Amino acid sequence: MIEEGRALFLQIAESVEDSIVDGSLPEETQAPSTNELASFYRINPATAAKGVAMLVEKGVLYKRRGIGMFVAPGARDRLLAERRSVFADRFVEPLLIEARKLGLDTEDLAALIRDRAAAHVATSTEGNAR
């Protein structure tokens, strides 16, 4: 789970964000404590605390005094919007640039994506049937 070369606190924050995005950590529920995260990932609690603090700063988590950290209302929607924006910048923009170079218009590109998606679904379905 822990990747070499990436700051541990960022990986901790991303892991908590993933749980919020996939729904396993719903809004208004208690988030894992700094000590729980440190124990699970076998890292220094200060490092886990830095990841949690980052999420508090982003408005994803908030503290209930004496109880712990909780997922903020609207956190999932904020994270999804942020990830969609990053996805567009990282993947869609270069795709559009390359499509333009290849002379593909919007309809050509949409058809190409639909065809690939259909093939991907067919391959996934076949793999699950085995």
Side-chain angles (χ1 to χ4, degrees):
M1 171 73 185
I2 298 294
E3 298 173 32
E4 293 293 323
R6 281 189 62 220
L8 291 174
F9 77 93
L10 292 175
Q11 293 180 62
I12 298 302
E14 188 174 280
S15 175
V16 173
E17 286 180 347
D18 288 345
S19 295
I20 294 168
V21 168
D22 73 18
S24 61
L25 192 56
E27 295 174 8
E28 294 294 345
T29 60
Q30 190 166 9
S33 71
T34 298
N35 288 334
E36 289 170 332
L37 291 168
S39 175
F40 182 79
Y41 291 103
R42 298 177 184 209
I43 60 170
N44 186 312
T47 302
K50 190 172 179 180
V52 169
M54 188 176 109
L55 295 175
V56 170
E57 204 172 289
K58 283 176 70 170
V60 172
L61 297 180
Y62 70 94
K63 185 175 187 171
R64 285 191 188 163
R65 194 170 182 150
I67 300 174
M69 292 293 181
F70 287 77
V71 179
R76 184 171 190 274
D77 289 339
R78 266 195 304 284
L79 290 171
L80 285 172
E82 178 184 303
R83 287 184 177 197
R84 285 181 183 124
S85 178
V86 169
F87 178 80
D89 291 344
R90 193 166 170 199
F91 298 103
V92 177
E93 192 62 33
L95 174 74
L96 293 171
I97 291 167
E98 186 65 19
R100 195 174 314 120
K101 289 177 187 175
L102 297 173
L104 299 171
D105 64 17
T106 305
E107 294 304 316
D108 295 331
L109 191 54
L112 183 61
I113 292 170
R114 275 192 301 276
D115 292 346
R116 289 295 175 111
H120 180 74
V121 169
T123 303
S124 296
T125 305
E126 290 172 10
N128 291 336
R130 292 179 191 171

